[in-house]
Amino acid sequence: MAKQSSFGNMLVVLTVITVITGALLGYVYNITKEPIALSKKLKQETAVKDVAPEFDNAPIDEQYTVTVNDLELKVFPAKKDGKTVGAAVESKTKKGFSGEISVMVGFNADGTIRNYRVLSHAETPGLGSKMEEWFRADKGDQSVLGKNPASDHLTVKKDGGSVDAITAATISSRAFLDAIANAYAAYTNTDATSSGATTQTGKEASHE
C-alpha cells in the first residue's frame, strides 16, 4: 500500500509541476511577445532606412511579399511625393556555408544597388562574416554598390562574374551574391514566370 501511495503522490506532484511550468511559460510568452515584436519591427525599420533611397512614405506599412525560388521575400517600397524612388528588399538564401543568410538590400528606381545590411548569418567568423563590409569596400572589384544585377554580372569571378570573392570564403561569397540576385528578382519581379513567383499585398503582407 505504501508503494502505491508513494507512486500516486509522485504522479500528483509531477502533474502539478507540469501544469505550473506550462502556465509560467505561457505567462512569460505573453508578456514578452509584444516587446519582441516591437524590437523586430524597429530593427526592420532601421535596416530599411539605412538601405533605401530617401522616402516620405511608410515602407513597413506598404510592404508586400514576393516568392522567389521558393523563398518568401519582403519588399518595402520607397516613395517620395507619391512617386516610387526605389525599395528595400529583405532577402535571403539557403546556400551559405553554414545555412541561411538574410540581407536587407536597397535599390534605386533604376535597379542599381544603393546599400545593403546583413541581417543574420551563421558563417565562419573572420571569413564569411566579412560580407557586411567586403562587398561595399572601394577596393578592387569587391563592391556591389551602384551596380545593377541585370547588367553587371554580380557573381564571383571564379564563376565568370565580376565580383572579387571574400578571401578563403568563396561559398559564403556566392551565397551573399545569390541573396542579392533574389532581392533584385523580388524588386523587379523578373522571375515571376520561371520560378512561379507570387505576390502578396496589403493585409496579407502585414501578417508576415
Side-chain angles (χ1 to χ4, degrees):
M1 294 293 293
K3 288 184 177 180
Q4 289 181 345
S5 177
S6 177
F7 180 71
N9 289 337
M10 185 173 67
L11 281 178
V12 171
V13 171
L14 288 174
T15 300
V16 171
I17 291 174
T18 301
V19 171
I20 292 175
T21 301
L24 286 173
L25 287 173
Y27 175 72
V28 171
Y29 172 75
N30 284 329
I31 65 174
T32 58
K33 179 174 63 174
E34 188 172 338
I36 290 173
L38 180 59
S39 176
K40 183 179 179 181
K41 183 179 181 182
L42 289 174
K43 182 179 179 181
Q44 195 176 58
E45 289 176 338
T46 299
V48 169
K49 188 174 181 179
D50 282 348
V51 305
E54 185 177 347
F55 54 83
D56 57 17
N57 66 319
I60 300 294
D61 295 335
E62 297 179 32
Q63 67 176 281
Y64 57 93
T65 302
V66 178
T67 301
V68 177
N69 298 322
D70 297 322
L71 300 170
E72 290 190 348
L73 310 184
K74 296 176 183 177
V75 181
F76 305 91
K79 299 176 183 178
K80 188 78 170 176
D81 298 325
K83 181 181 178 181
T84 298
V85 292
V89 180
E90 189 174 320
S91 183
K92 53 189 171 184
T93 178
K94 295 185 180 296
K95 297 180 179 181
F97 184 79
S98 299
E100 185 174 290
I101 295 172
S102 178
V103 186
M104 186 74 80
V105 188
F107 293 98
N108 294 309
D110 62 0
T112 54
I113 298 170
R114 182 180 180 276
N115 202 356
Y116 73 85
R117 285 285 179 269
V118 177
L119 302 178
S120 64
H121 70 87
E123 302 303 277
T124 306
L127 292 177
S129 59
K130 288 183 177 180
M131 56 193 153
E132 175 63 49
E133 298 303 329
W134 182 276
F135 295 105
R136 69 174 75 257
D138 187 17
K139 180 180 179 181
D141 294 315
Q142 292 179 202
S143 180
V144 298
L145 304 186
K147 304 291 181 63
N148 191 315
S151 58
D152 288 313
H153 309 292
L154 300 185
T155 56
V156 298
K157 288 184 176 179
K158 198 171 188 177
D159 299 333
S162 62
V163 183
D164 288 335
I166 298 170
T167 305
T170 302
I171 294 176
S172 297
S173 299
R174 285 173 174 148
F176 173 84
L177 294 171
D178 183 63
I180 294 292
N182 289 339
Y184 183 76
Y187 174 52
T188 61
N189 213 6
T190 53
D191 69 342
T193 301
S194 60
S195 71
T198 56
T199 304
Q200 294 178 325
T201 58
K203 292 182 179 180
E204 286 183 323
S206 67
H207 292 295
E208 293 299 324

